[in-house]
């Protein structure tokens, strides 16, 4: 019987694609066409767009206070506790318990949305 060659041959290194050029439009009278740059990853897709009237127009992130995060956490634990109480203690069905908790969640989120809208309108 003949011996088989079991040596591992090295595969050629895969070809890497050429870098893609990003096109950024310019509106200067000296250069009427688009400008090409070679670093597309440094610019975000929304870098040139400005949203008039947007709270994010200046690039500032809206801050959420620690008290708000704590209130959301306590509310979430309360809703989870209500679900477990309905399902395991009161022996209601899984779907009925989940439906009731989802209804409460929807009502609370609607209330938070209305309160936030009223407060935002008063600040302006």
């Amino acid at each position: 019987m003949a011996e088989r060659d079991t040596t591992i041959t090295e595969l050629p290194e895969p070809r890497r694609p050429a870098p893609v050029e990003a096109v950024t439009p310019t509106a200067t009278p000296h250069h009427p066409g688009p400008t090409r740059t070679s670093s597309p990853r440094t610019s975000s897709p929304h870098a040139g767009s400005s949203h008039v009237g947007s709270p994010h127009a200046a690039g500032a992130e809206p801050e959420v206070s620690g008290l708000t995060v704590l209130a959301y956490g306590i509310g979430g634990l309360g809703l989870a506790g209500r679900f477990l109480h309905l399902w395991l203690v009161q022996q209601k069905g899984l779907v009925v318990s989940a439906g009731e908790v989802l209804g409460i969640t929807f009502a609370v989120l609607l209330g938070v949305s209305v309160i936030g809208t009223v407060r935002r309108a008063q600040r302006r």
Side-chain angles (χ1 to χ4, degrees):
M1 224 163 119
E3 274 188 45
R4 292 178 50 186
D5 185 18
T6 58
T7 60
I8 298 175
T9 59
E10 289 189 31
L11 297 173
E13 192 170 320
R15 289 180 37 186
R16 295 196 174 114
V20 179
E21 294 181 352
V23 177
T24 55
T26 58
T28 61
H30 302 293
H31 189 67
T35 306
R36 295 190 180 272
T37 60
S38 61
S39 60
R41 293 185 185 120
T42 58
S43 64
S44 71
H46 304 290
S49 64
S50 65
H51 302 284
V52 177
S54 171
H56 303 292
E61 292 285 327
E63 293 185 20
V64 179
S65 69
L67 186 61
T68 303
V69 173
L70 182 65
Y72 286 162
I74 291 172
L77 287 175
L79 288 169
R82 176 69 178 159
F83 169 74
L84 291 174
H85 178 74
L86 286 169
W87 184 37
L88 299 175
V89 176
Q90 290 187 357
Q91 297 290 317
K92 293 196 177 188
L94 178 72
V95 175
V96 172
S97 300
E100 184 171 333
V101 169
L102 286 175
I104 294 170
T105 304
F106 178 74
V108 167
L109 289 176
L110 182 64
V112 167
S113 176
V114 169
I115 290 170
T117 303
V118 169
R119 290 183 65 197
R120 190 171 299 118
Q122 288 176 351
R123 277 189 266 168
R124 290 184 183 183

